[in-house]
Amino acid sequence: MSNTQQALEPQTITLCGLSDLIPNSGICAEVDGQQIALFYLPSETPQVYAIGNWDPIGKANVLARGIVGDIDGRLVVASPLYKQHFDLLTGECLEDDQVSVAAFSVTLVADQVLLSL
Amino acid sequence: MLKVVVVGNGMVGHHYVEQLVASEVEAQVTVIGGETRPAYDRVHLSEVFSGRSPEDLALTTRDRYIELGVEAHFGDFVASIDRENKTVTTESGKQYAYDKLVLATGSYPFVPPVKGNDLEPCLVYRTIDDLGMIQAQAKDRKVGVVVGGGLLGLECANAVKNLGLETHVVEFAPGLMGVQLDNGGSAMLRRKIEALGVQVHTSKATQVIEENSDGDTRLVMQFADGGSLETDMIVFSAGIRPYDQLARDCGLTVGERGGIEVDYHCKTSDSDIFAIGECALFGGRIFGLVAPGYRMAEAAVSQLGNDSVAFQGADMSTKLKLLGVDVGSIGDAHGKEEGSVAYTFSDERIDVYKRLIVSADGKKLLGAVLVGDCSDYDTLLQYFLNGIDLPADPQTLILPYNAGDAPALGAAALPATATICSCHNVSKGDIVAAMDGGACSLADVKSETAASTGCGGCAALLKNIVDDEMAARGLEVNKAMCEHFNFTRQEMFHLIKVGSIKTFEELLEKHGTGRGCEICKPTAGSILASLWNDYILEEKHVGLQDTNDNFLANMQKNGTYSVVPRIPGGEITPDKLIVLGQVAKKYSLYTKITGGQRVDLFGARVQHLPAIWEELIEAGFETGHAYGKALRTVKSCVGSTWCRYGVQDSVAMALYVENRYKGLRSPHKLKSAVSGCTRECAEAQSKDFGVIATENGWNLFVCGNGGMKPRHADLFATDLDDETLIKYIDRFLMFYVNTADRLQRTSVWMDNLEGGLDYLKQVVIEDSLGIAAELEEQMNNVVGTYQCEWKTTVEDPEKLKRFRQFVNSEAEDRDIIFVEERGQPRPATEEEREQILAKSA
C-alpha cells in the first residue's frame, strides 16, 4: 500500500495514519488553524489528495464530506452543499474558473500521511 | 366597462368565465348560478359513491371567483330577461344590468310522462344534490331501478350499483346506448353488463308506477307488455332536455324540439345574447358533451375580443368506461351513409365486439363501434377525423393481431391540425410547438400543453407523437445518468439485480467507465440498499453516499447537521418529548416541529452526532431517515380512538405502515399519511401514498405530493381490508422502487408510465404482469432485514472514527458560529460571523 516513490521532503508534518483514512472518501485535518480535506483513493496513483476544506461557494468547511469521482478524467470532489466540483490535484472549481481552493502536497509514507510545507 | 352577465355555472359556464378573465377583454363579470355550489365536474359525478368527495369534483370556489374579480351569486335562478332594458331578474328579486348576456343554463333530466313518476322516491341524476337524495333513499334498501339505457343511464346505474343496491336498467328502446352503438355492439354491451350483475330490461314501456302495498319494496312499475318490476327507488336518467325556458319567455328563437338557436359565434337571435353548452342548438343539433361546450365558450369569448375563434360543430365520437366496460363510438356508428360498407369482428369468448363503417370506395373511415376493447379507438379516431386513407385491408385495423405486426398509424401520418387531446383541445401542432420550445420528454409536453391530463385516453398516441418527433429531430433521448453509466436508474436496477452485483466497484467494472461521481454513486448506493438492504455505511458503501446518508443527518448551510428521530404516526410519549428537549438543550440545538409531525433538531456539529444519537437511542428513538431518499413520515390524525368523527383507528394503521416501510430506500423521498375519516385531517391526498378510512375499511390514494408542483393523489382502490391495503402498498412501492428514474417522485413516475393510473391498477391490483408475488417477496425481504442505522453506527467504534471534526486534533470548527434569536441558536450571517471573528481575534 505504501507509496514511497517520492523522496522525503525536508519540511513535512504527519497528519494522520493510514487507518484514519476512509477508502474512496474524505476526512479533515487541521494545521495551524487551516482545515485540510484529505481523500484516500486506494486504486489511484497517487493514493492521497489534499485540498482546502472551505467551500468558497457554500461558505462552510465541508469539502471533506463530498463524494469523490471523476469528470472528464479529472479527479474531483463534489461539494455536499451545492455540488460544484473541485479538482483534487489543483483545487480548481470546474464550474467557475474564478473560484478555486488551495491544493496541498501530501504523500503516504510508511502508512503515515505526510504534508509538505 | 363592458358588463357581462353569465347565467348558469355548470362546467361550460365556468369555462366561459375562466376564458373571459384570461382574455384581453376588459369586462365586469357577474355569474348567477342556480345550484348552491360553484361549478363542479359533472362528468365524474358517479365517483362520489366510490370515494371522491363533492369537494374533489369542484372546478372552482367562491374565493377563487373573488380573486378573479368576478361577482358570483349562487342558489338563485334567473326568472326573466328584459331585452329592451338589458336586465335580468332573479327569483329572489335581484336585478342585474348587462351589455352582453351569456346563457349557459345547461339542461335538465327528461322524466318520461308516466303516471306515478312523482311518487317517492322517484329521483333524477344530474347534480350533486341529486346524488345526496339518491344516497339517502338507498339507505337500508335493496333494489334500485334506473330508467334509461343510454350513456347517462348507465353512468347512473354505476352509481346505484356502487351504493350496493340490486340494480336494474329499464330501457324503452330495443338496445342499450342506441345512439352510439349498432345492434351488435349494443348486444355485446348488454352481455357484459349483465355479467356484472346489473339486470337489463329493454323494449319496456313503463305505463304506471304505483306504491307497492304488499311486498318488501316500496314501488312497483307496470310495463305495457304486462310485466312488472318491484323496486325501492327509481332514478330517471333517460336523456336531457335543453334549459331554454328563459330564452322562450323573452322571445329568442328556439328549435322545434328545444334548444336556443345560435350561429358560429354562439350568438342567439339577439346579437347581445349568447348561448353556449347544452342549452344551445347549433346546426339543428344539441352537443351534449363537455368538449364541444368548451369550444362554444371559447367562440363566444372571442366574439367580445379579436373574433379569432368560431364554433363549427364538433365531433361527437366518444370513448368511455361504463360500469367498467370499455365502449367507443366514432362518427356514423350505424352506417347510415349510402353505399357504406361494414366490417364486423366479434369474439364471444372474451366478449369483444368491433365494427368499422367504411366509405363505398373503401378508402375512408366513416364510423366505428368498439365494445369490450377500446385499444384501437385512438388510431381509428385519427383516421376518421383527419380523413386519412385506410390501408388496403381495413379489417386489419380491428382484427386480433400477433405481436409485432400490429397495424400502427404512424404519428408522422397525422396532420398538424389533428386533435390529439380533445379534453384540452391540444393538436399535434401544439405538441410540436411545445417541443420546439424546449419540452423534450413526455412529462414536459404534458405539463406544457396539458395534453393527456384530462381523461387520459390519448396517452398512448401522445407518447407515439413525442417519440416520433424526438426521432425526427435526430434527438436520441439521452437516457444516460452521467458520463460513467449510459443507463437510466431503472436499467441500472436491473443490471444490479440480475447480475447479483454487491458493490459499486463491481458495477463500474462490468457496466461503466471512469470512477463514478456524485450522481451515479448515490444512485447505485440506493439501489444496493433497496435490493440487498446492507447497512449503508459498510466500508464498501461509504464512498457512495451523499453526506446526509453518510452522517445519517441533514447537512445545513453552515456545515452542521439536523437530526430527526422517527416519531411514527406523530405519536410520542411525554417522556420521549422531555428527552428531545433535554438533548436539544445539552447540545444547544435549535428545535422545530416539522410538517410530518416530528421534531427536527438543528445545529449539531458532526463530532456531536454519535453522542446525540446515543442519548436518543437510549430513550427508545430510532433514525427517522430524514436524510435519505427513503420513507420519511406517515402522518396521521387522531382517528376513532379520540375523534367524534373517526371511523377507523388511523394512528394504529399509521404506526403499522411507518414501521413496515421505515428504511426502505427509493428513487426519491416517500411520504404517506393515514386519515381516520373523509374529513382528511392528515392530508393523505397530498402524499405518495395516502390512506383514508371509510365505514368499510380503507381507501388508498397514490401519487400525490406537496412541494414545488403540488399534486392531488389519485384514488387507487376503495374499501380495502387491512391485509389487502398492505398488500397493494407493498406492490405499489416495490414497483416504484424497481422502475422509477433517479429523483423521480411517484407522480411523475406514474405520468411517464404509458397507460398511467389504469396501468398501475392493472399491475398492482390485477397483477397483469405476473410480478405481484415477487414484489411482495422483495418487500418482505427489506422489512425483515431492517436495522436502525444510528444504532449500528454507535455500536461500532471503527465507524465512529469518521465523525471526528479533525483527524489530528480535538478542536472545534471555529467557522461555525451561532447567534441567538427568539431564545434559540441560529447560524450567524456572513456579516455577523466576520464581526464576531474579528472581535475574538
Side-chain angles (χ1 to χ4, degrees):
Chain A
M1 285 290 239
S2 70
N3 179 356
T4 53
Q5 58 265 63
Q6 271 183 278
L8 230 63
E9 295 284 332
Q11 287 180 298
T12 57
I13 298 175
T14 302
L15 292 179
C16 62
L18 178 65
S19 62
D20 291 315
L21 299 173
I22 301 158
N24 299 306
S25 190
I27 54 160
C28 185
E30 186 188 37
V31 176
D32 292 339
Q34 181 158 26
Q35 298 195 17
I36 299 174
L38 276 176
F39 301 94
Y40 176 42
L41 307 178
S43 53
E44 304 294 331
T45 313
Q47 292 181 311
V48 287
Y49 301 81
I51 60 173
N53 192 36
W54 178 258
D55 173 354
I57 296 168
K59 301 200 188 310
N61 289 308
V62 295
L63 292 184
R65 292 179 235 154
I67 291 179
V68 290
D70 68 341
I71 299 290
D72 295 331
R74 294 166 78 178
L75 285 174
V76 294
V77 60
S79 164
L81 282 169
Y82 302 111
K83 314 299 179 205
Q84 290 87 3
H85 299 94
F86 294 89
D87 191 308
L88 293 186
L89 284 169
T90 66
E92 290 167 321
C93 173
L94 271 60
E95 281 77 16
D96 185 345
D97 55 18
Q98 302 296 305
V99 174
S100 66
V101 298
F104 301 91
S105 168
V106 281
T107 46
L108 195 55
V109 179
D111 286 354
Q112 296 293 307
V113 179
L114 305 183
L115 174 75
S116 308
L117 293 175
Chain B
M1 214 184 331
L2 190 72
K3 279 190 275 226
V4 178
V5 173
V6 184
V7 182
N9 195 234
M11 297 177 78
V12 172
H14 170 63
H15 190 72
Y16 178 90
V17 172
E18 279 197 320
Q19 295 292 314
L20 182 59
V21 171
S23 77
E24 289 157 11
V25 181
E26 294 273 323
Q28 181 193 327
V29 187
T30 305
V31 171
I32 306 166
E35 285 186 60
T36 50
R37 64 188 88 226
Y40 55 87
D41 179 358
R42 217 185 290 278
V43 176
H44 295 103
L45 208 53
S46 72
E47 290 180 12
V48 169
F49 291 158
S50 56
R52 289 261 148 185
S53 71
E55 287 70 33
D56 292 331
L57 296 181
L59 296 174
T60 186
T61 60
R62 289 164 194 262
D63 289 345
R64 177 70 187 140
Y65 274 154
I66 291 169
E67 278 169 34
L68 293 175
V70 171
E71 195 183 337
H73 304 274
F74 298 106
D76 198 4
F77 285 90
V78 169
S80 64
I81 300 170
D82 180 347
R83 286 167 57 192
E84 202 160 313
N85 296 309
K86 290 193 159 186
T87 58
V88 297
T89 306
T90 68
E91 284 180 350
S92 72
K94 291 204 180 79
Q95 204 174 63
Y96 301 93
Y98 68 82
D99 296 316
K100 301 286 176 188
L101 181 66
V102 179
L103 300 176
T105 46
S107 54
Y108 61 91
F110 168 66
V111 176
V114 173
K115 188 160 176 264
N117 65 12
D118 52 349
L119 288 174
E120 288 248 322
C122 286
L123 304 166
V124 293
Y125 175 78
R126 178 76 190 160
T127 65
I128 287 180
D129 290 344
D130 291 339
L131 284 188
M133 309 246 264
I134 293 172
Q135 192 164 26
Q137 291 292 352
K139 206 165 165 56
D140 303 325
R141 295 288 167 173
K142 290 201 192 84
V143 190
V145 167
V146 174
V147 175
L151 197 154
L152 287 171
L154 295 179
E155 261 288 310
C156 175
N158 189 38
V160 172
K161 184 165 172 280
N162 280 339
L163 286 171
L165 297 190
E166 176 190 317
T167 307
H168 297 257
V169 172
V170 173
E171 168 59 44
F172 179 76
L176 297 172
M177 287 187 74
V179 178
Q180 294 88 357
L181 304 181
D182 69 321
N183 291 340
S186 179
M188 183 64 80
L189 177 62
R190 178 182 186 141
R191 268 172 72 110
K192 293 186 77 92
I193 287 177
E194 284 180 337
L196 293 168
V198 173
Q199 299 181 43
V200 178
H201 313 265
T202 51
S203 300
K204 290 283 180 195
T206 310
Q207 281 201 315
V208 62
I209 298 164
E210 294 164 337
E211 279 176 5
N212 196 7
S213 43
D214 45 43
D216 296 338
T217 64
R218 288 191 276 201
L219 299 170
V220 57
M221 304 169 76
Q222 303 291 352
F223 300 123
D225 63 3
S228 66
L229 183 60
E230 295 191 355
T231 181
D232 287 311
M233 169 170 69
I234 298 173
V235 187
F236 291 103
S237 191
I240 52 168
R241 295 292 181 267
Y243 228 133
D244 58 9
Q245 196 57 45
L246 274 177
R248 286 172 191 272
D249 292 346
C250 70
L252 295 176
T253 308
V254 294
E256 213 170 290
R257 296 173 59 198
I260 308 163
E261 284 193 4
V262 297
D263 64 9
Y264 288 112
H265 305 120
C266 293
K267 269 188 188 147
T268 65
S269 53
D270 178 332
S271 64
D272 289 323
I273 304 182
F274 295 82
I276 54 176
E278 288 180 340
C279 66
L281 185 72
F282 175 84
R285 288 179 79 181
I286 298 279
F287 292 85
L289 294 177
V290 69
Y294 283 177
R295 300 298 91 77
M296 288 186 190
E298 287 149 20
V301 166
S302 114
Q303 263 301 288
L304 303 184
N306 56 11
D307 189 18
S308 60
V309 188
F311 182 73
Q312 298 176 319
D315 176 55
M316 296 292 276
S317 298
T318 177
K319 173 172 81 165
L320 65 170
K321 231 185 186 45
L322 287 171
L323 291 142
V325 180
D326 287 310
V327 178
S329 167
I330 293 173
D332 178 11
H334 295 95
K336 285 180 190 151
E337 184 152 323
E338 207 166 320
S340 63
V341 289
Y343 297 86
T344 306
F345 170 78
S346 171
D347 183 341
E348 294 192 350
R349 289 169 314 155
I350 52 167
D351 284 348
V352 165
Y353 178 89
K354 302 177 181 184
R355 181 179 174 89
L356 291 185
I357 318 292
V358 174
S359 62
D361 61 5
K363 286 209 172 131
K364 303 288 179 195
L365 184 68
L366 301 178
V369 172
L370 302 168
V371 176
D373 175 7
C374 273
S375 52
D376 301 322
Y377 179 87
D378 291 333
T379 304
L380 295 175
L381 184 65
Q382 294 302 330
Y383 274 107
F384 171 70
L385 290 178
N386 300 299
I388 298 169
D389 280 347
L390 289 167
D393 300 311
Q395 70 273 19
T396 54
L397 293 173
I398 53 169
L399 289 178
Y401 39 74
N402 298 318
D405 57 26
L409 173 64
L414 295 172
T417 50
T419 299
I420 305 304
C421 169
S422 49
C423 297
H424 293 282
N425 201 23
V426 182
S427 67
K428 182 183 165 192
D430 296 331
I431 292 163
V432 173
M435 294 180 70
D436 286 340
C440 54
S441 70
L442 189 58
D444 282 357
V445 170
K446 274 185 178 177
S447 90
E448 191 63 32
T449 63
S452 195
T453 59
C455 73
C458 60
L461 184 62
L462 179 69
K463 183 172 185 302
N464 282 344
I465 292 174
V466 172
D467 289 350
D468 188 66
E469 282 297 314
M470 297 287 251
R473 283 148 210 255
L475 288 173
E476 186 73 22
V477 189
N478 185 7
K479 301 180 304 182
M481 173 179 308
C482 62
E483 67 178 72
H484 308 100
F485 288 96
N486 195 20
F487 303 111
T488 62
R489 178 188 176 278
Q490 186 185 354
E491 288 164 339
M492 185 183 272
F493 188 97
H494 285 297
L495 290 172
I496 292 175
K497 188 175 166 197
V498 174
S500 287
I501 291 172
K502 297 286 163 63
T503 66
F504 181 75
E505 284 67 33
E506 192 184 345
L507 178 70
L508 193 64
E509 191 186 322
K510 287 187 176 158
H511 304 289
T513 57
R515 302 163 176 100
C517 66
E518 82 286 357
I519 293 172
C520 56
K521 281 183 169 180
T523 305
S526 159
I527 296 172
L528 290 168
S530 293
L531 279 173
W532 320 125
N533 218 18
D534 275 350
Y535 169 55
I536 61 162
L537 299 186
E538 289 285 346
E539 189 176 286
K540 61 191 182 208
H541 299 323
V542 162
L544 305 182
Q545 316 298 342
D546 277 316
T547 187
N548 288 356
D549 274 300
N550 236 331
F551 291 92
L552 307 171
N554 291 30
M555 183 182 272
Q556 302 299 329
K557 61 192 287 185
N558 64 348
T560 62
Y561 289 85
S562 81
V563 172
V564 188
R566 190 168 289 290
I567 302 179
E571 185 184 75
I572 185 166
T573 62
D575 283 340
K576 279 184 154 182
L577 267 178
I578 288 166
V579 170
L580 288 181
Q582 286 167 339
V583 168
K585 269 178 108 166
K586 182 166 171 188
Y587 296 95
S588 303
L589 305 177
Y590 167 85
T591 55
K592 190 167 193 310
I593 309 291
T594 72
Q597 303 183 332
R598 319 205 269 192
V599 181
D600 205 341
L601 312 171
F602 287 80
R605 290 169 184 268
V606 67
Q607 67 270 28
H608 293 157
L609 288 172
I612 290 171
W613 293 332
E614 256 175 75
E615 292 187 33
L616 292 174
I617 292 167
E618 178 68 21
F621 286 105
E622 290 183 324
T623 176
H625 293 99
Y627 46 82
K629 304 295 178 223
L631 178 83
R632 299 281 174 85
T633 71
V634 180
K635 195 171 166 178
S636 72
C637 69
V638 80
S640 57
T641 317
W642 289 89
C643 177
R644 285 175 293 149
Y645 304 109
V647 293
Q648 305 279 354
D649 187 349
S650 47
V651 175
M653 181 54 82
L655 282 165
Y656 182 81
V657 171
E658 182 155 348
N659 282 318
R660 181 169 180 79
Y661 303 117
K662 65 188 176 190
L664 173 70
R665 288 306 205 272
S666 51
H668 208 308
K669 63 185 171 189
L670 281 168
K671 295 187 176 182
S672 178
V674 181
S675 277
C677 78
T678 58
R679 282 168 186 76
E680 240 285 72
C681 297
E683 298 167 335
Q685 287 171 95
S686 64
K687 305 298 182 193
D688 293 285
F689 61 104
V691 179
I692 302 178
T694 70
E695 305 253 350
N696 309 313
W698 308 96
N699 285 349
L700 175 60
F701 290 76
V702 298
C703 301
N705 58 253
M708 191 161 59
K709 266 194 173 175
R711 183 188 190 282
H712 267 125
D714 288 313
L715 179 62
F716 191 73
T718 55
D719 290 335
L720 304 173
D721 57 34
D722 292 6
E723 198 183 330
T724 314
L725 174 72
I726 297 303
K727 196 165 73 180
Y728 287 177
I729 298 175
D730 277 5
R731 295 175 183 178
F732 167 76
L733 288 177
M734 262 306 160
F735 189 51
Y736 166 65
V737 168
N738 276 267
T739 61
D741 213 341
R742 176 180 166 266
L743 298 185
Q744 191 174 44
R745 285 201 73 170
T746 51
S747 58
V748 180
W749 166 68
M750 184 173 75
D751 281 347
N752 272 294
L753 289 176
E754 201 177 316
L757 181 66
D758 285 339
Y759 174 71
L760 199 54
K761 284 184 184 170
Q762 286 163 16
V763 173
V764 171
I765 299 175
E766 295 160 27
D767 192 14
S768 61
L769 299 180
I771 56 170
E774 190 191 335
L775 294 174
E776 284 173 42
E777 194 193 314
Q778 236 179 305
M779 183 61 84
N780 279 325
N781 184 41
V782 171
V783 171
T785 54
Y786 170 80
Q787 48 185 322
C788 171
E789 292 150 359
W790 284 352
K791 193 156 182 289
T792 315
T793 304
V794 296
E795 285 169 356
D796 183 349
E798 262 306 300
K799 302 279 181 285
L800 291 177
K801 274 169 40 181
R802 290 195 307 106
F803 291 84
R804 289 179 288 179
Q805 170 64 41
F806 299 117
V807 72
N808 58 347
S809 101
E810 296 297 317
E812 288 197 334
D813 181 346
R814 282 178 293 270
D815 293 317
I816 296 175
I817 293 171
F818 294 102
V819 296
E820 195 180 292
E821 186 171 86
R822 295 186 293 276
Q824 293 211 75
R826 68 155 169 82
T829 64
E830 237 183 301
E831 286 165 14
E832 287 167 344
R833 188 170 60 192
E834 275 162 22
Q835 282 172 10
I836 293 167
L837 284 174
K839 248 186 232 167
S840 66

